[in-house]
Amino acid sequence: MTTLRKPLRNGAPALLIIATLLTACSGDEYNYTAPNEICGTSVDPQALQAVLPPGDEVEATSLPLSITVACEIKVDSRLQIDIRGLALSGARDPSERAATFRMENSVEENWGPDFPAVLADDGAVVSLPCGTGGRTDTLLTEIHLYSDHMSEDERRDQATDFTRSYVTGLAEQLNCDARPAAPAPQ
């Protein structure tokens, strides 16, 4: 007895493999344009895109919380960046706050007079010497990066570039005199 086989049946595993590869490859492309503003704060779109993974859609959402700044940035509905800002009276040491988050490979920097920052591979905590009105004179800003699409060698620089861009935009938005100092030439 002769058995007839459908030609597609034998090729089904190959088609499944090709479809899987095509699906996997499409996730490696940036099918969105990074915005130049997130949650009302101007940012460098290149610095933002560098810390975001490839995907189809990026969205930034201001959160209705009782703190001064609250913003989440998602790519394809997955949280990639979480930003919190606390308006305070009296300067705060960002290293104390950063210690509670166990940030990866953190280092302390000084971005200007009374402008300390803790920078890490997965985010930053910056004490912006500027109030938001009333009795506040400092905005303690926490940035948490959850994406690990970038190489370890690039993560710190890209996280720092994004943080510097965001904090500069935040200072402009709040009409602060302080701005992060330009990075030291290497």
Side-chain angles (χ1 to χ4, degrees):
M1 178 171 171
T2 311
T3 305
L4 296 174
R5 294 186 181 170
K6 294 181 182 177
L8 290 177
R9 184 176 213 165
N10 290 338
L15 289 174
L16 182 59
I17 291 170
I18 291 170
T20 302
L21 289 173
L22 288 174
T23 301
C25 291
S26 69
D28 292 339
E29 294 181 21
Y30 288 87
N31 295 320
Y32 61 83
T33 301
N36 60 3
E37 182 179 287
I38 53 172
C39 301
T41 302
S42 297
V43 294
D44 175 2
Q46 292 175 328
L48 174 60
Q49 188 159 337
V51 295
L52 294 176
D56 293 321
E57 179 182 36
V58 64
E59 62 182 299
T61 307
S62 293
L63 303 174
L65 299 175
S66 61
I67 57 180
T68 304
V69 177
C71 183
E72 290 183 344
I73 296 105
K74 297 178 181 181
V75 172
D76 297 337
S77 301
R78 292 189 64 196
L79 182 63
Q80 302 297 326
I81 303 173
D82 181 32
I83 301 171
R84 300 284 185 261
L86 306 166
L88 306 167
S89 176
R92 291 291 200 273
D93 182 0
S95 61
E96 292 174 12
R97 188 78 177 165
T100 64
F101 297 115
R102 296 185 182 152
M103 300 176 86
E104 293 179 30
N105 302 316
S106 63
V107 296
E108 295 181 31
E109 286 190 8
N110 189 357
W111 282 1
D114 299 318
F115 207 140
V118 175
L119 305 167
D121 294 351
D122 58 347
V125 180
V126 179
S127 184
L128 174 62
C130 178
T132 58
R135 297 180 183 167
T136 65
D137 59 5
T138 302
L139 185 65
L140 190 66
T141 305
E142 304 168 9
I143 298 175
H144 303 276
L145 304 174
Y146 301 107
S147 179
D148 62 355
H149 74 284
M150 53 201 129
S151 72
E152 273 188 45
D153 295 342
E154 298 175 319
R155 288 182 76 185
R156 165 69 57 73
D157 291 339
Q158 291 173 340
T160 299
D161 289 348
F162 170 73
T163 299
R164 189 177 301 279
S165 172
Y166 180 80
V167 171
T168 298
L170 188 60
E172 291 170 3
Q173 178 184 353
L174 296 173
N175 200 25
C176 302
D177 291 333
R179 299 285 192 281
Q186 295 181 354

PDB file of all heavy atoms in Angstrom, residues 93-116:
ATOM      1  N   ASP A  93      21.211  63.808  50.747  1.00  0.00           N
ATOM      2  CA  ASP A  93      22.334  63.074  50.165  1.00  0.00           C
ATOM      3  C   ASP A  93      21.765  61.922  49.338  1.00  0.00           C
ATOM      4  O   ASP A  93      21.143  61.016  49.896  1.00  0.00           O
ATOM      5  CB  ASP A  93      23.227  62.552  51.287  1.00  0.00           C
ATOM      6  CG  ASP A  93      24.441  61.805  50.763  1.00  0.00           C
ATOM      7  OD1 ASP A  93      24.594  61.690  49.534  1.00  0.00           O
ATOM      8  OD2 ASP A  93      25.232  61.355  51.607  1.00  0.00           O
ATOM      9  N   PRO A  94      21.957  61.934  48.026  1.00  0.00           N
ATOM     10  CA  PRO A  94      21.386  60.872  47.201  1.00  0.00           C
ATOM     11  C   PRO A  94      21.994  59.500  47.482  1.00  0.00           C
ATOM     12  O   PRO A  94      21.363  58.488  47.200  1.00  0.00           O
ATOM     13  CB  PRO A  94      21.661  61.326  45.770  1.00  0.00           C
ATOM     14  CG  PRO A  94      22.766  62.298  45.865  1.00  0.00           C
ATOM     15  CD  PRO A  94      22.667  62.916  47.216  1.00  0.00           C
ATOM     16  N   SER A  95      23.189  59.456  48.065  1.00  0.00           N
ATOM     17  CA  SER A  95      23.806  58.155  48.337  1.00  0.00           C
ATOM     18  C   SER A  95      23.021  57.378  49.395  1.00  0.00           C
ATOM     19  O   SER A  95      22.949  56.155  49.342  1.00  0.00           O
ATOM     20  CB  SER A  95      25.272  58.310  48.743  1.00  0.00           C
ATOM     21  OG  SER A  95      25.383  59.081  49.909  1.00  0.00           O
ATOM     22  N   GLU A  96      22.405  58.084  50.346  1.00  0.00           N
ATOM     23  CA  GLU A  96      21.574  57.410  51.342  1.00  0.00           C
ATOM     24  C   GLU A  96      20.379  56.746  50.674  1.00  0.00           C
ATOM     25  O   GLU A  96      20.029  55.615  50.987  1.00  0.00           O
ATOM     26  CB  GLU A  96      21.086  58.407  52.392  1.00  0.00           C
ATOM     27  CG  GLU A  96      22.164  58.960  53.285  1.00  0.00           C
ATOM     28  CD  GLU A  96      21.639  60.055  54.206  1.00  0.00           C
ATOM     29  OE1 GLU A  96      20.401  60.232  54.317  1.00  0.00           O
ATOM     30  OE2 GLU A  96      22.474  60.738  54.819  1.00  0.00           O
ATOM     31  N   ARG A  97      19.752  57.460  49.780  1.00  0.00           N
ATOM     32  CA  ARG A  97      18.572  56.927  49.075  1.00  0.00           C
ATOM     33  C   ARG A  97      18.988  55.808  48.124  1.00  0.00           C
ATOM     34  O   ARG A  97      18.314  54.792  48.023  1.00  0.00           O
ATOM     35  CB  ARG A  97      17.892  58.054  48.313  1.00  0.00           C
ATOM     36  CG  ARG A  97      16.595  57.709  47.709  1.00  0.00           C
ATOM     37  CD  ARG A  97      15.511  57.706  48.734  1.00  0.00           C
ATOM     38  NE  ARG A  97      14.239  57.438  48.058  1.00  0.00           N
ATOM     39  CZ  ARG A  97      13.159  57.091  48.681  1.00  0.00           C
ATOM     40  NH1 ARG A  97      13.147  57.008  49.981  1.00  0.00           N
ATOM     41  NH2 ARG A  97      12.065  56.860  48.018  1.00  0.00           N
ATOM     42  N   ALA A  98      20.101  55.987  47.434  1.00  0.00           N
ATOM     43  CA  ALA A  98      20.573  54.978  46.478  1.00  0.00           C
ATOM     44  C   ALA A  98      20.919  53.667  47.177  1.00  0.00           C
ATOM     45  O   ALA A  98      20.736  52.588  46.608  1.00  0.00           O
ATOM     46  CB  ALA A  98      21.775  55.499  45.706  1.00  0.00           C
ATOM     47  N   ALA A  99      21.418  53.758  48.409  1.00  0.00           N
ATOM     48  CA  ALA A  99      21.790  52.542  49.142  1.00  0.00           C
ATOM     49  C   ALA A  99      20.597  51.631  49.382  1.00  0.00           C
ATOM     50  O   ALA A  99      20.750  50.405  49.433  1.00  0.00           O
ATOM     51  CB  ALA A  99      22.447  52.922  50.471  1.00  0.00           C
ATOM     52  N   THR A 100      19.407  52.193  49.494  1.00  0.00           N
ATOM     53  CA  THR A 100      18.224  51.370  49.736  1.00  0.00           C
ATOM     54  C   THR A 100      17.791  50.600  48.489  1.00  0.00           C
ATOM     55  O   THR A 100      17.008  49.670  48.587  1.00  0.00           O
ATOM     56  CB  THR A 100      17.038  52.216  50.240  1.00  0.00           C
ATOM     57  OG1 THR A 100      16.655  53.132  49.208  1.00  0.00           O
ATOM     58  CG2 THR A 100      17.400  52.962  51.502  1.00  0.00           C
ATOM     59  N   PHE A 101      18.296  50.984  47.319  1.00  0.00           N
ATOM     60  CA  PHE A 101      17.894  50.335  46.070  1.00  0.00           C
ATOM     61  C   PHE A 101      18.896  49.318  45.552  1.00  0.00           C
ATOM     62  O   PHE A 101      18.649  48.669  44.544  1.00  0.00           O
ATOM     63  CB  PHE A 101      17.637  51.378  44.976  1.00  0.00           C
ATOM     64  CG  PHE A 101      16.507  52.282  45.305  1.00  0.00           C
ATOM     65  CD1 PHE A 101      16.722  53.626  45.501  1.00  0.00           C
ATOM     66  CD2 PHE A 101      15.224  51.790  45.445  1.00  0.00           C
ATOM     67  CE1 PHE A 101      15.682  54.475  45.824  1.00  0.00           C
ATOM     68  CE2 PHE A 101      14.177  52.624  45.769  1.00  0.00           C
ATOM     69  CZ  PHE A 101      14.413  53.965  45.960  1.00  0.00           C
ATOM     70  N   ARG A 102      20.065  49.227  46.201  1.00  0.00           N
ATOM     71  CA  ARG A 102      21.111  48.299  45.758  1.00  0.00           C
ATOM     72  C   ARG A 102      21.391  48.465  44.269  1.00  0.00           C
ATOM     73  O   ARG A 102      21.311  47.525  43.481  1.00  0.00           O
ATOM     74  CB  ARG A 102      20.722  46.862  46.062  1.00  0.00           C
ATOM     75  CG  ARG A 102      20.589  46.595  47.520  1.00  0.00           C
ATOM     76  CD  ARG A 102      20.324  45.150  47.795  1.00  0.00           C
ATOM     77  NE  ARG A 102      20.155  44.973  49.228  1.00  0.00           N
ATOM     78  CZ  ARG A 102      19.434  44.033  49.759  1.00  0.00           C
ATOM     79  NH1 ARG A 102      18.818  43.165  49.000  1.00  0.00           N
ATOM     80  NH2 ARG A 102      19.332  43.932  51.054  1.00  0.00           N
ATOM     81  N   MET A 103      21.699  49.662  43.887  1.00  0.00           N
ATOM     82  CA  MET A 103      21.975  49.973  42.492  1.00  0.00           C
ATOM     83  C   MET A 103      23.279  49.303  42.057  1.00  0.00           C
ATOM     84  O   MET A 103      24.213  49.178  42.829  1.00  0.00           O
ATOM     85  CB  MET A 103      22.029  51.486  42.306  1.00  0.00           C
ATOM     86  CG  MET A 103      20.718  52.145  42.704  1.00  0.00           C
ATOM     87  SD  MET A 103      20.785  53.929  42.617  1.00  0.00           S
ATOM     88  CE  MET A 103      20.369  54.147  40.906  1.00  0.00           C
ATOM     89  N   GLU A 104      23.316  48.884  40.797  1.00  0.00           N
ATOM     90  CA  GLU A 104      24.469  48.160  40.245  1.00  0.00           C
ATOM     91  C   GLU A 104      25.640  49.098  39.986  1.00  0.00           C
ATOM     92  O   GLU A 104      25.512  50.058  39.237  1.00  0.00           O
ATOM     93  CB  GLU A 104      24.098  47.489  38.922  1.00  0.00           C
ATOM     94  CG  GLU A 104      23.105  46.370  39.060  1.00  0.00           C
ATOM     95  CD  GLU A 104      22.763  45.759  37.707  1.00  0.00           C
ATOM     96  OE1 GLU A 104      23.616  45.762  36.801  1.00  0.00           O
ATOM     97  OE2 GLU A 104      21.626  45.286  37.565  1.00  0.00           O
ATOM     98  N   ASN A 105      26.785  48.802  40.590  1.00  0.00           N
ATOM     99  CA  ASN A 105      28.031  49.527  40.333  1.00  0.00           C
ATOM    100  C   ASN A 105      27.869  51.037  40.476  1.00  0.00           C
ATOM    101  O   ASN A 105      28.239  51.801  39.587  1.00  0.00           O
ATOM    102  CB  ASN A 105      28.568  49.196  38.934  1.00  0.00           C
ATOM    103  CG  ASN A 105      28.807  47.719  38.751  1.00  0.00           C
ATOM    104  OD1 ASN A 105      29.357  47.072  39.639  1.00  0.00           O
ATOM    105  ND2 ASN A 105      28.385  47.184  37.624  1.00  0.00           N
ATOM    106  N   SER A 106      27.346  51.481  41.592  1.00  0.00           N
ATOM    107  CA  SER A 106      27.083  52.909  41.760  1.00  0.00           C
ATOM    108  C   SER A 106      28.362  53.683  42.089  1.00  0.00           C
ATOM    109  O   SER A 106      29.277  53.165  42.715  1.00  0.00           O
ATOM    110  CB  SER A 106      26.030  53.143  42.839  1.00  0.00           C
ATOM    111  OG  SER A 106      26.494  52.695  44.087  1.00  0.00           O
ATOM    112  N   VAL A 107      28.388  54.924  41.608  1.00  0.00           N
ATOM    113  CA  VAL A 107      29.480  55.860  41.896  1.00  0.00           C
ATOM    114  C   VAL A 107      28.854  57.213  42.217  1.00  0.00           C
ATOM    115  O   VAL A 107      27.800  57.563  41.694  1.00  0.00           O
ATOM    116  CB  VAL A 107      30.474  56.011  40.725  1.00  0.00           C
ATOM    117  CG1 VAL A 107      31.202  54.717  40.442  1.00  0.00           C
ATOM    118  CG2 VAL A 107      29.796  56.535  39.484  1.00  0.00           C
ATOM    119  N   GLU A 108      29.537  57.963  43.067  1.00  0.00           N
ATOM    120  CA  GLU A 108      29.067  59.300  43.418  1.00  0.00           C
ATOM    121  C   GLU A 108      29.780  60.331  42.557  1.00  0.00           C
ATOM    122  O   GLU A 108      30.974  60.203  42.294  1.00  0.00           O
ATOM    123  CB  GLU A 108      29.312  59.576  44.894  1.00  0.00           C
ATOM    124  CG  GLU A 108      28.498  58.677  45.800  1.00  0.00           C
ATOM    125  CD  GLU A 108      28.705  58.961  47.269  1.00  0.00           C
ATOM    126  OE1 GLU A 108      28.970  60.132  47.626  1.00  0.00           O
ATOM    127  OE2 GLU A 108      28.604  58.005  48.055  1.00  0.00           O
ATOM    128  N   GLU A 109      29.034  61.328  42.127  1.00  0.00           N
ATOM    129  CA  GLU A 109      29.589  62.434  41.359  1.00  0.00           C
ATOM    130  C   GLU A 109      29.020  63.734  41.904  1.00  0.00           C
ATOM    131  O   GLU A 109      27.998  63.733  42.579  1.00  0.00           O
ATOM    132  CB  GLU A 109      29.248  62.320  39.867  1.00  0.00           C
ATOM    133  CG  GLU A 109      30.022  61.261  39.135  1.00  0.00           C
ATOM    134  CD  GLU A 109      29.842  61.344  37.619  1.00  0.00           C
ATOM    135  OE1 GLU A 109      29.238  62.323  37.122  1.00  0.00           O
ATOM    136  OE2 GLU A 109      30.298  60.423  36.951  1.00  0.00           O
ATOM    137  N   ASN A 110      29.660  64.826  41.552  1.00  0.00           N
ATOM    138  CA  ASN A 110      29.158  66.139  41.894  1.00  0.00           C
ATOM    139  C   ASN A 110      28.926  66.877  40.580  1.00  0.00           C
ATOM    140  O   ASN A 110      29.866  67.125  39.834  1.00  0.00           O
ATOM    141  CB  ASN A 110      30.163  66.880  42.776  1.00  0.00           C
ATOM    142  CG  ASN A 110      29.587  68.163  43.320  1.00  0.00           C
ATOM    143  OD1 ASN A 110      28.468  68.543  43.004  1.00  0.00           O
ATOM    144  ND2 ASN A 110      30.360  68.843  44.137  1.00  0.00           N
ATOM    145  N   TRP A 111      27.673  67.239  40.320  1.00  0.00           N
ATOM    146  CA  TRP A 111      27.330  67.887  39.063  1.00  0.00           C
ATOM    147  C   TRP A 111      27.322  69.410  39.170  1.00  0.00           C
ATOM    148  O   TRP A 111      26.895  70.101  38.269  1.00  0.00           O
ATOM    149  CB  TRP A 111      25.985  67.394  38.570  1.00  0.00           C
ATOM    150  CG  TRP A 111      26.043  66.043  37.934  1.00  0.00           C
ATOM    151  CD1 TRP A 111      27.152  65.257  37.790  1.00  0.00           C
ATOM    152  CD2 TRP A 111      24.970  65.319  37.355  1.00  0.00           C
ATOM    153  NE1 TRP A 111      26.824  64.092  37.164  1.00  0.00           N
ATOM    154  CE2 TRP A 111      25.487  64.099  36.878  1.00  0.00           C
ATOM    155  CE3 TRP A 111      23.624  65.575  37.195  1.00  0.00           C
ATOM    156  CZ2 TRP A 111      24.701  63.143  36.245  1.00  0.00           C
ATOM    157  CZ3 TRP A 111      22.836  64.625  36.568  1.00  0.00           C
ATOM    158  CH2 TRP A 111      23.381  63.426  36.095  1.00  0.00           C
ATOM    159  N   GLY A 112      27.753  69.945  40.267  1.00  0.00           N
ATOM    160  CA  GLY A 112      27.789  71.380  40.470  1.00  0.00           C
ATOM    161  C   GLY A 112      27.646  71.680  41.943  1.00  0.00           C
ATOM    162  O   GLY A 112      27.526  70.768  42.758  1.00  0.00           O
ATOM    163  N   PRO A 113      27.636  72.975  42.307  1.00  0.00           N
ATOM    164  CA  PRO A 113      27.484  73.338  43.715  1.00  0.00           C
ATOM    165  C   PRO A 113      26.179  72.768  44.296  1.00  0.00           C
ATOM    166  O   PRO A 113      25.110  72.976  43.732  1.00  0.00           O
ATOM    167  CB  PRO A 113      27.444  74.868  43.699  1.00  0.00           C
ATOM    168  CG  PRO A 113      28.070  75.250  42.400  1.00  0.00           C
ATOM    169  CD  PRO A 113      27.776  74.132  41.447  1.00  0.00           C
ATOM    170  N   ASP A 114      26.312  72.027  45.369  1.00  0.00           N
ATOM    171  CA  ASP A 114      25.148  71.407  46.029  1.00  0.00           C
ATOM    172  C   ASP A 114      24.316  70.568  45.060  1.00  0.00           C
ATOM    173  O   ASP A 114      23.083  70.566  45.123  1.00  0.00           O
ATOM    174  CB  ASP A 114      24.268  72.481  46.675  1.00  0.00           C
ATOM    175  CG  ASP A 114      25.011  73.260  47.730  1.00  0.00           C
ATOM    176  OD1 ASP A 114      25.751  72.626  48.510  1.00  0.00           O
ATOM    177  OD2 ASP A 114      24.861  74.497  47.765  1.00  0.00           O
ATOM    178  N   PHE A 115      24.982  69.864  44.162  1.00  0.00           N
ATOM    179  CA  PHE A 115      24.285  69.097  43.127  1.00  0.00           C
ATOM    180  C   PHE A 115      24.874  67.682  43.060  1.00  0.00           C
ATOM    181  O   PHE A 115      25.472  67.289  42.051  1.00  0.00           O
ATOM    182  CB  PHE A 115      24.460  69.802  41.780  1.00  0.00           C
ATOM    183  CG  PHE A 115      23.354  69.558  40.794  1.00  0.00           C
ATOM    184  CD1 PHE A 115      22.905  70.601  40.009  1.00  0.00           C
ATOM    185  CD2 PHE A 115      22.775  68.312  40.616  1.00  0.00           C
ATOM    186  CE1 PHE A 115      21.915  70.414  39.068  1.00  0.00           C
ATOM    187  CE2 PHE A 115      21.785  68.110  39.690  1.00  0.00           C
ATOM    188  CZ  PHE A 115      21.338  69.168  38.916  1.00  0.00           C
ATOM    189  N   PRO A 116      24.721  66.897  44.139  1.00  0.00           N
ATOM    190  CA  PRO A 116      25.286  65.544  44.151  1.00  0.00           C
ATOM    191  C   PRO A 116      24.427  64.562  43.357  1.00  0.00           C
ATOM    192  O   PRO A 116      23.212  64.706  43.246  1.00  0.00           O
ATOM    193  CB  PRO A 116      25.290  65.188  45.641  1.00  0.00           C
ATOM    194  CG  PRO A 116      24.164  65.976  46.218  1.00  0.00           C
ATOM    195  CD  PRO A 116      24.095  67.248  45.412  1.00  0.00           C
TER     196      PRO A 116
END
